[in-house]
Amino acid sequence: MNSLLGPLASAPPRQLLAQGLNFALVLSTAFMLWKLLSVLTDSPSPIVVVLSGSMEPAFQRGDLLFLWNRWKDTKVGEIVVYNVKGKDIPIVHRVVRRFGGGLKPLQLLTKGDNNAADDTELYAVGQAYLNRVQDVIGSVVGYVPFVGYVTILLSEYPWLKTVLLGIMGLTVIFQRE
């Protein structure tokens, strides 16, 4: 174990501090970019990963989707991402019906392209439609195929997350400038 920590133990405190600050800078930059994207797109989650096959063939599992939430008038056929009250997982489905709009709140009914029935079973108890303002995170404006599969692997295999974080931490600690 001493041979592994040798470079760390012999490093001057100033270098250790610099590496720690470098790691903090990387994390804070990623956080700031995420917040900037959130403000620009008016979406709490401007980038999401498709987690299931319910939207095939339009989107495959692992596709990375880019969202925009500044258009509040959602049309039938548009693909939206929404959250259900009490569940943390965003759902990517197509709008099949819309009600209201104008002075009345816009309500949407959604369905996965690969599903037989609409999403009323997925909505919160007592909810028949999605409220455009309260439930929808954003509309899909672009995607990159399969890039988000890393996220799926990290959630399905939690030990992989620990291994990757360990590797990243060791890389920062043993990095030479």
Side-chain angles (χ1 to χ4, degrees):
M1 187 71 171
N2 280 343
S3 64
L4 182 63
L5 295 178
L8 184 60
S10 65
R14 179 175 248 169
Q15 183 182 3
L16 290 174
L17 180 63
Q19 288 177 335
L21 288 174
N22 188 22
F23 185 65
L25 179 66
V26 168
L27 291 179
S28 62
T29 301
F31 178 73
M32 287 188 301
L33 287 173
W34 181 262
K35 285 300 177 186
L36 177 66
L37 275 175
S38 293
V39 169
L40 291 175
T41 61
D42 193 27
S43 174
S45 186
I47 299 172
V48 296
V49 175
V50 177
L51 299 175
S52 73
S54 66
M55 278 303 292
E56 289 179 1
F59 299 119
Q60 306 295 318
R61 190 170 188 247
D63 288 355
L64 189 70
L65 306 180
F66 300 99
L67 308 182
W68 186 261
N69 199 31
R70 295 210 174 263
W71 307 309
K72 300 299 181 186
D73 187 33
T74 305
K75 308 272 189 258
V76 171
E78 198 170 317
I79 299 173
V80 297
V81 177
Y82 65 91
N83 270 338
V84 175
K85 293 171 187 75
K87 297 179 184 173
D88 289 337
I89 299 173
I91 299 172
V92 181
H93 282 171
R94 191 178 304 275
V95 175
V96 292
R97 293 184 75 189
R98 59 175 265 158
F99 305 93
L103 297 176
K104 295 181 179 179
L106 181 58
Q107 295 184 318
L108 307 171
L109 179 65
T110 56
K111 175 186 173 295
D113 290 356
N114 203 20
N115 293 349
D118 61 40
D119 291 349
T120 50
E121 293 293 320
L122 297 176
Y123 301 158
V125 176
Q127 184 178 13
Y129 305 102
L130 296 174
N131 181 305
R132 173 62 179 91
V133 175
Q134 295 173 354
D135 300 321
V136 175
I137 298 172
S139 298
V140 177
V141 292
Y143 77 101
V144 180
F146 301 113
V147 173
Y149 218 89
V150 173
T151 304
I152 294 173
L153 290 174
L154 291 175
S155 63
E156 288 181 356
Y157 304 103
W159 59 268
L160 191 57
K161 198 180 305 183
T162 306
V163 169
L164 284 178
L165 285 173
I167 291 170
M168 287 172 32
L170 289 172
T171 303
V172 168
I173 289 171
F174 295 117
Q175 174 187 0
R176 300 269 182 204
E177 293 201 19

